[in-house]
Amino acid sequence: MQRIENKTFQGERPLYKIKDTLLSNIVIGEGESGIKECQHIQIENCVFEGKYPLWECHDMTIRNSHLSDGARAALWYSKDIVMENCQVDSPKTFRELDNLKLSNVTIRSATETLWFCRNIELLNVEIGEGDNLFLHSYGIRCNNIKLNGKYSFQYCKDIEITDSVILTKDAFWNTENVTIRNSRLKGEYLAWYSKNLHLINCHIEGTQPLCYAENLIIENCTFAPDADLAFEYSSVNATINGSITSVKNPSSGTIIANGIDEVIINEDKKGDAKCEIITTAQQLS
């Protein structure tokens, strides 16, 4: 493997089609497409400042490096990428990727990031300004992530999230096959129009959660007082640890909670609305 160290590159395509190369203490300065159409690359302690620096790359590891805000749309149309201990300040960083692993990464500007990606793993990742994160992606595994941003995980499939904090609005809309464990989910209108959403040991905050959901399963979750008007037009089987402020017009299934302040079944219900609603007091009486 060849080594390129302690250099600065600028302009267009300065390292085009390199292979089997270690890049150490390199600066990719102003210009476009600094490292493009490359294979079998290791990147260590590098700084990226120019636009579109890492496109059409395959089998690449990036460690201890920084993508500045100038490195917009940094990593697109690539496969088999590992990124460890990096700071990402560039917008629209990840698109159209297959098999991406992020570990100990901070993404400070994640607007329109991780779109149309496949087979993604995130471990110990902190994400800020994450509006529209993970649009139309699938095969997502997240462990110990913290996300702050609206409209995340829309139109995504096959997701597993564990030990995480999701601070968002309109998250998980139109998703399919999602399992979330031991996590905090804060934001209005959680997971509308979802299919096969499974929440285990989670805490849910924000108004009108989990409406229009199909085959919703909730195990041992807690609901904050502001998580009101839940389950409207949803098919749901839920076991809630504690009380819930209000439930409105669920379509079918069973809801069990320690207490429910208000159950709203009114003329706006759809069909028979045959959902069994049970509180602990009813079970003990």
Side-chain angles (χ1 to χ4, degrees):
M1 176 174 281
Q2 68 169 327
R3 298 174 66 95
I4 302 175
E5 301 178 273
N6 305 316
K7 292 186 177 181
T8 297
F9 295 92
Q10 295 183 338
E12 187 170 349
R13 298 188 179 186
L15 294 173
Y16 185 65
K17 282 196 172 182
I18 59 171
K19 296 181 180 180
D20 303 308
T21 301
L22 169 64
L23 300 175
S24 180
N25 294 303
I26 297 297
V27 176
I28 301 295
E30 291 187 10
E32 296 184 5
S33 305
I35 301 171
K36 186 175 182 180
E37 293 281 1
C38 297
Q39 298 182 31
H40 315 306
I41 304 299
Q42 294 185 26
I43 296 172
E44 298 178 353
N45 303 306
C46 293
V47 176
F48 296 88
E49 298 173 347
K51 294 185 290 186
Y52 327 132
L54 298 161
W55 279 37
E56 295 285 357
C57 294
H58 300 270
D59 186 16
M60 180 169 60
T61 300
I62 307 168
R63 295 189 177 97
N64 304 311
S65 296
H66 179 210
L67 278 66
S68 74
D69 58 0
R72 63 184 298 108
L75 216 169
W76 288 27
Y77 305 107
S78 296
K79 185 177 181 180
D80 300 329
I81 308 297
V82 175
M83 178 179 284
E84 300 174 346
N85 304 310
C86 292
Q87 179 176 321
V88 178
D89 294 331
S90 55
K92 304 182 182 180
T93 303
F94 306 106
R95 295 271 187 100
E96 295 279 4
L97 303 180
D98 189 356
N99 195 20
L100 170 69
K101 297 181 180 180
L102 303 181
S103 177
N104 300 312
V105 172
T106 299
I107 307 175
R108 294 187 179 178
S109 179
T111 299
E112 300 182 22
T113 290
L114 287 160
W115 284 15
F116 301 99
C117 292
R118 303 161 297 281
N119 306 313
I120 311 301
E121 295 183 18
L122 276 65
L123 173 64
N124 303 329
V125 175
E126 185 169 345
I127 303 166
E129 299 179 21
D131 290 1
N132 302 107
L133 189 78
F134 277 119
L135 184 69
H136 285 290
S137 293
Y138 64 85
I140 302 165
R141 305 292 178 265
C142 299
N143 192 339
N144 191 30
I145 71 166
K146 183 175 182 180
L147 164 64
N148 194 332
K150 297 178 287 186
Y151 322 122
S152 55
F153 297 96
Q154 291 194 351
Y155 299 98
C156 291
K157 295 182 180 180
D158 303 326
I159 304 171
E160 292 183 8
I161 298 175
T162 305
D163 298 324
S164 296
V165 177
I166 310 294
L167 308 177
T168 185
K169 175 184 176 181
D170 296 348
F172 301 100
W173 275 49
N174 300 95
T175 53
E176 188 171 346
N177 303 332
V178 177
T179 299
I180 307 176
R181 298 179 178 88
N182 308 322
S183 297
R184 178 189 176 196
L185 308 172
K186 180 179 180 180
E188 297 93 342
Y189 321 120
L190 174 69
W192 285 31
Y193 304 103
S194 60
K195 294 182 180 179
N196 306 326
L197 172 62
H198 193 175
L199 303 179
I200 306 167
N201 301 326
C202 292
H203 183 64
I204 297 163
E205 304 173 46
T207 190
Q208 299 178 59
L210 306 165
C211 300
Y212 294 91
E214 181 180 328
N215 191 29
L216 171 64
I217 299 174
I218 296 176
E219 295 183 42
N220 195 40
C221 292
T222 56
F223 279 60
D226 66 348
D228 59 347
L229 304 173
F231 309 128
E232 187 173 23
Y233 306 137
S234 291
S235 60
V236 52
N237 284 286
T239 302
I240 298 166
N241 183 4
S243 297
I244 183 169
T245 299
S246 55
V247 170
K248 183 177 181 180
N249 289 332
S251 295
S252 63
T254 302
I255 300 169
I256 301 172
N258 293 8
I260 301 174
D261 295 347
E262 184 180 16
V263 176
I264 303 168
I265 306 294
N266 61 21
E267 67 278 5
D268 295 326
K269 69 181 183 179
K270 292 184 178 181
D272 294 332
K274 292 182 178 180
C275 181
E276 186 177 13
I277 300 174
I278 302 169
T279 65
T280 302
Q282 288 174 318
Q283 290 179 310
L284 295 176
S285 62

